[in-house]
Amino acid sequence: MWRSCVIGILMAAGVLLAWGCSQSPQFIARPEPWRAVEEQACLASGHVRSTPYLQARASLGGPSVCGAHQPFEMAGAAGGRVAFRPAAMLRCPMIPAVERWVERIVEPAARRYLGAPLAEVKVAASYSCRPMNNQWGARLSEHGHANALDVSAFILTDGRKVDVLSGWWGDPRERAFLRAVHHGACGEFTTVLGPDYDRLHRDHFHLDLARRVYGNGRVCK
Ligand SMILES: [Zn+2]
Protein backbone atom coordinates (compact mmCIF):
# COMPACT_ATOMS: atom_id res chain seq x y z
CA MET A 1 0.00 0.00 0.00
CA TRP A 2 2.76 2.42 -0.94
CA ARG A 3 0.38 4.87 -2.56
CA SER A 4 -1.17 5.65 0.81
CA CYS A 5 1.71 5.16 3.17
CA VAL A 6 4.72 6.77 1.54
CA ILE A 7 5.82 9.64 3.74
CA GLY A 8 8.95 10.81 1.98
CA ILE A 9 11.03 13.07 4.14
CA LEU A 10 13.27 15.47 2.25
CA MET A 11 16.73 15.63 3.78
CA ALA A 12 19.92 17.42 2.91
CA ALA A 13 18.41 19.54 0.11
CA GLY A 14 16.97 16.60 -1.74
CA VAL A 15 20.13 14.52 -1.88
CA LEU A 16 18.82 11.88 0.46
CA LEU A 17 15.27 10.68 0.74
CA ALA A 18 13.90 8.56 3.53
CA TRP A 19 10.83 6.58 2.63
CA GLY A 20 8.61 4.24 4.54
CA CYS A 21 5.31 3.59 6.20
CA SER A 22 4.00 2.05 9.37
CA GLN A 23 3.97 -1.48 7.91
CA SER A 24 7.30 -1.33 6.05
CA PRO A 25 10.85 -0.72 7.19
CA GLN A 26 12.12 2.70 6.16
CA PHE A 27 15.06 3.14 3.84
CA ILE A 28 17.36 5.74 2.39
CA ALA A 29 17.45 6.33 -1.36
CA ARG A 30 19.39 8.74 -3.55
CA PRO A 31 18.15 10.17 -6.84
CA GLU A 32 19.79 7.96 -9.51
CA PRO A 33 18.91 9.12 -13.05
CA TRP A 34 21.09 6.40 -14.63
CA ARG A 35 18.51 3.78 -13.72
CA ALA A 36 15.78 5.18 -15.97
CA VAL A 37 18.28 5.92 -18.76
CA GLU A 38 19.67 2.39 -18.65
CA GLU A 39 16.22 0.79 -18.57
CA GLN A 40 14.91 2.87 -21.49
CA ALA A 41 18.01 2.03 -23.55
CA CYS A 42 17.47 -1.67 -22.85
CA LEU A 43 13.79 -1.49 -23.83
CA ALA A 44 14.59 0.48 -27.00
CA SER A 45 17.32 -1.99 -28.03
CA GLY A 46 14.68 -4.61 -28.85
CA HIS A 47 16.89 -7.34 -27.36
CA VAL A 48 14.29 -8.17 -24.71
CA ARG A 49 10.94 -9.19 -26.14
CA SER A 50 7.92 -10.89 -24.63
CA THR A 51 7.75 -14.68 -25.01
CA PRO A 52 5.46 -17.28 -23.43
CA TYR A 53 7.80 -17.30 -20.42
CA LEU A 54 8.75 -13.61 -20.41
CA GLN A 55 5.84 -11.20 -20.04
CA ALA A 56 6.03 -7.41 -19.93
CA ARG A 57 4.20 -5.99 -16.93
CA ALA A 58 2.89 -2.58 -15.90
CA SER A 59 5.26 -0.22 -14.13
CA LEU A 60 6.09 -0.96 -10.52
CA GLY A 61 6.34 1.27 -7.53
CA GLY A 62 3.80 4.01 -8.04
CA PRO A 63 4.89 7.27 -6.45
CA SER A 64 7.77 5.85 -4.40
CA VAL A 65 11.41 5.65 -5.44
CA CYS A 66 11.03 1.89 -5.87
CA GLY A 67 10.11 0.08 -9.04
CA ALA A 68 10.83 0.00 -12.75
CA HIS A 69 9.28 1.64 -15.81
CA GLN A 70 8.35 -1.56 -17.58
CA PRO A 71 9.42 -4.72 -15.75
CA PHE A 72 9.20 -8.28 -17.00
CA GLU A 73 7.83 -11.35 -15.29
CA MET A 74 10.37 -14.09 -16.02
CA ALA A 75 8.87 -17.58 -15.67
CA GLY A 76 11.64 -19.35 -17.56
CA ALA A 77 14.95 -19.04 -19.42
CA ALA A 78 16.96 -20.78 -22.13
CA GLY A 79 14.12 -20.89 -24.62
CA GLY A 80 11.76 -22.15 -21.93
CA ARG A 81 13.90 -25.22 -21.07
CA VAL A 82 14.46 -23.94 -17.55
CA ALA A 83 11.51 -22.84 -15.38
CA PHE A 84 11.77 -20.02 -12.83
CA ARG A 85 9.55 -20.72 -9.81
CA PRO A 86 8.02 -18.55 -8.67
CA ALA A 87 8.38 -16.23 -11.65
CA ALA A 88 10.83 -13.38 -11.06
CA MET A 89 9.93 -9.71 -11.56
CA LEU A 90 12.97 -8.03 -13.11
CA ARG A 91 13.87 -4.82 -14.94
CA CYS A 92 14.96 -5.05 -18.58
CA PRO A 93 18.78 -5.03 -18.13
CA MET A 94 18.61 -8.02 -15.78
CA ILE A 95 16.95 -10.28 -18.38
CA PRO A 96 19.92 -10.80 -20.77
CA ALA A 97 22.29 -11.23 -17.80
CA VAL A 98 20.09 -13.92 -16.26
CA GLU A 99 19.66 -15.62 -19.65
CA ARG A 100 23.43 -15.73 -20.26
CA TRP A 101 24.07 -17.02 -16.73
CA VAL A 102 21.55 -19.84 -17.11
CA GLU A 103 22.61 -20.88 -20.62
CA ARG A 104 26.39 -20.41 -20.40
CA ILE A 105 27.03 -21.25 -16.76
CA VAL A 106 24.24 -23.08 -14.92
CA GLU A 107 23.07 -25.52 -17.62
CA PRO A 108 26.62 -26.69 -18.53
CA ALA A 109 27.56 -26.94 -14.83
CA ALA A 110 24.51 -29.10 -14.09
CA ARG A 111 25.49 -31.55 -16.84
CA ARG A 112 29.17 -31.48 -15.93
CA TYR A 113 28.99 -31.82 -12.14
CA LEU A 114 25.61 -33.48 -11.61
CA GLY A 115 25.17 -35.44 -14.82
CA ALA A 116 21.66 -34.23 -15.64
CA PRO A 117 20.07 -31.26 -17.40
CA LEU A 118 18.77 -28.32 -15.40
CA ALA A 119 14.97 -28.09 -15.19
CA GLU A 120 14.19 -25.35 -12.70
CA VAL A 121 15.62 -22.41 -10.79
CA LYS A 122 14.05 -21.71 -7.40
CA VAL A 123 13.52 -17.97 -7.01
CA ALA A 124 13.75 -16.82 -3.38
CA ALA A 125 13.13 -13.12 -4.14
CA SER A 126 13.10 -10.57 -6.94
CA TYR A 127 11.22 -7.25 -6.79
CA SER A 128 10.68 -5.99 -3.25
CA CYS A 129 10.51 -2.37 -2.10
CA ARG A 130 12.66 -2.67 1.01
CA PRO A 131 15.94 -1.61 2.60
CA MET A 132 19.08 -3.71 2.22
CA ASN A 133 18.86 -6.88 4.32
CA ASN A 134 15.47 -5.63 5.60
CA GLN A 135 17.30 -3.40 8.06
CA TRP A 136 15.42 -0.25 9.06
CA GLY A 137 17.13 2.89 7.83
CA ALA A 138 19.50 1.09 5.44
CA ARG A 139 19.91 2.00 1.77
CA LEU A 140 17.18 0.90 -0.63
CA SER A 141 18.01 -2.61 -1.85
CA GLU A 142 18.60 -3.33 -5.54
CA HIS A 143 15.53 -5.55 -5.10
CA GLY A 144 13.57 -2.30 -4.76
CA HIS A 145 14.52 -1.44 -8.34
CA ALA A 146 13.72 -4.94 -9.68
CA ASN A 147 17.47 -5.07 -10.32
CA ALA A 148 18.22 -8.17 -8.22
CA LEU A 149 17.47 -11.88 -8.14
CA ASP A 150 17.83 -14.29 -5.20
CA VAL A 151 18.18 -17.97 -6.08
CA SER A 152 17.89 -20.64 -3.39
CA ALA A 153 17.95 -23.94 -5.30
CA PHE A 154 18.26 -25.74 -8.62
CA ILE A 155 16.16 -28.71 -9.73
CA LEU A 156 17.33 -31.22 -12.34
CA THR A 157 15.21 -33.05 -14.92
CA ASP A 158 15.61 -36.27 -12.90
CA GLY A 159 13.96 -34.57 -9.91
CA ARG A 160 17.08 -33.99 -7.83
CA LYS A 161 17.15 -30.70 -5.92
CA VAL A 162 20.37 -28.89 -5.06
CA ASP A 163 19.83 -26.12 -2.55
CA VAL A 164 22.36 -23.52 -1.54
CA LEU A 165 21.83 -24.03 2.21
CA SER A 166 22.72 -27.74 2.37
CA GLY A 167 24.74 -28.08 -0.85
CA TRP A 168 27.33 -25.32 -0.30
CA TRP A 169 29.10 -27.48 2.30
CA GLY A 170 27.42 -30.76 1.33
CA ASP A 171 27.97 -33.47 -1.27
CA PRO A 172 31.24 -32.83 -3.23
CA ARG A 173 29.42 -32.78 -6.58
CA GLU A 174 26.87 -30.29 -5.26
CA ARG A 175 29.64 -28.17 -3.78
CA ALA A 176 31.45 -28.10 -7.12
CA PHE A 177 28.25 -27.29 -9.01
CA LEU A 178 27.24 -24.46 -6.66
CA ARG A 179 30.72 -22.93 -6.69
CA ALA A 180 30.83 -23.04 -10.49
CA VAL A 181 27.41 -21.39 -10.65
CA HIS A 182 28.44 -18.72 -8.12
CA HIS A 183 31.82 -18.03 -9.73
CA GLY A 184 30.30 -17.91 -13.22
CA ALA A 185 27.69 -15.40 -12.10
CA CYS A 186 30.47 -12.92 -11.33
CA GLY A 187 31.06 -12.51 -15.06
CA GLU A 188 27.45 -11.51 -15.71
CA PHE A 189 26.41 -9.50 -12.64
CA THR A 190 28.11 -6.66 -10.77
CA THR A 191 27.11 -8.09 -7.37
CA VAL A 192 27.19 -11.79 -6.49
CA LEU A 193 26.78 -12.76 -2.83
CA GLY A 194 26.60 -16.28 -1.42
CA PRO A 195 27.11 -18.26 1.80
CA ASP A 196 30.75 -17.12 2.12
CA TYR A 197 29.62 -13.47 2.29
CA ASP A 198 27.53 -13.54 5.48
CA ARG A 199 24.90 -15.50 7.38
CA LEU A 200 22.06 -13.67 5.67
CA HIS A 201 23.17 -15.28 2.41
CA ARG A 202 23.78 -18.80 3.72
CA ASP A 203 20.71 -20.13 1.89
CA HIS A 204 20.74 -18.22 -1.41
CA PHE A 205 22.77 -16.45 -4.08
CA HIS A 206 22.04 -12.74 -4.51
CA LEU A 207 22.67 -11.47 -8.07
CA ASP A 208 22.28 -7.84 -9.12
CA LEU A 209 23.41 -5.15 -11.56
CA ALA A 210 24.18 -2.36 -9.09
CA ARG A 211 26.50 0.43 -10.26
CA ARG A 212 29.47 1.32 -8.09
CA VAL A 213 32.10 3.98 -8.44
CA TYR A 214 34.70 2.33 -6.20
CA GLY A 215 37.03 -0.56 -6.95
CA ASN A 216 36.34 -2.31 -10.23
CA GLY A 217 32.61 -1.80 -9.66
CA ARG A 218 32.09 -5.44 -8.82
CA VAL A 219 31.52 -7.48 -5.67
CA CYS A 220 31.92 -11.26 -5.93
CA LYS A 221 31.85 -13.01 -2.56
ZN1 LIG B 1 18.96 -10.42 -2.65
Side-chain angles (χ1 to χ4, degrees):
M1 299 301 287
W2 281 93
R3 202 171 291 274
S4 60
C5 71
V6 166
I7 55 157
I9 303 165
L10 201 58
M11 298 168 62
V15 176
L16 291 175
L17 295 161
W19 296 83
C21 72
S22 56
Q23 271 88 43
S24 302
Q26 292 194 347
F27 56 78
I28 301 293
R30 295 170 190 277
E32 296 172 303
W34 66 266
R35 293 187 187 273
V37 172
E38 182 188 79
E39 185 182 11
Q40 293 290 357
C42 176
L43 292 166
S45 75
H47 290 139
V48 175
R49 294 204 178 90
S50 291
T51 67
Y53 58 88
L54 187 68
Q55 298 288 318
R57 293 293 181 224
S59 66
L60 289 165
S64 80
V65 294
C66 286
H69 174 69
Q70 200 233 270
F72 290 84
E73 192 174 296
M74 191 175 199
R81 285 193 302 274
V82 178
F84 274 47
R85 293 206 178 94
M89 189 73 84
L90 299 168
R91 68 197 295 115
C92 186
M94 280 290 282
I95 306 295
V98 172
E99 282 280 3
R100 285 193 298 269
W101 177 61
V102 169
E103 286 204 60
R104 298 179 186 178
I105 307 293
V106 189
E107 285 195 301
R111 285 191 293 269
R112 177 176 176 188
Y113 295 104
L114 304 168
L118 178 70
E120 186 179 324
V121 170
K122 278 283 173 210
V123 174
S126 55
Y127 174 66
S128 176
C129 188
R130 60 170 174 80
M132 288 174 72
N133 299 326
N134 286 309
Q135 285 172 359
W136 197 94
R139 233 169 11 93
L140 175 60
S141 165
E142 290 298 319
H143 287 284
H145 300 286
N147 199 30
L149 174 68
D150 288 354
V151 171
S152 59
F154 303 86
I155 297 174
L156 307 176
T157 55
D158 61 12
R160 269 182 292 163
K161 181 181 179 187
V162 178
D163 64 71
V164 176
L165 181 61
S166 60
W168 189 255
W169 294 112
D171 175 273
R173 288 164 301 179
E174 295 189 6
R175 288 164 73 144
F177 166 74
L178 290 170
R179 278 159 180 76
V181 161
H182 178 281
H183 179 76
C186 298
E188 300 294 346
F189 301 93
T190 56
T191 311
V192 177
L193 305 176
D196 287 347
Y197 178 62
D198 67 10
R199 278 186 56 77
L200 292 171
H201 295 82
R202 67 190 181 282
D203 60 357
H204 69 275
F205 295 146
H206 167 99
L207 318 171
D208 77 38
L209 285 174
R211 278 194 189 181
R212 295 184 184 81
V213 292
Y214 55 85
N216 64 359
R218 289 175 179 268
V219 173
C220 175
K221 290 177 179 167

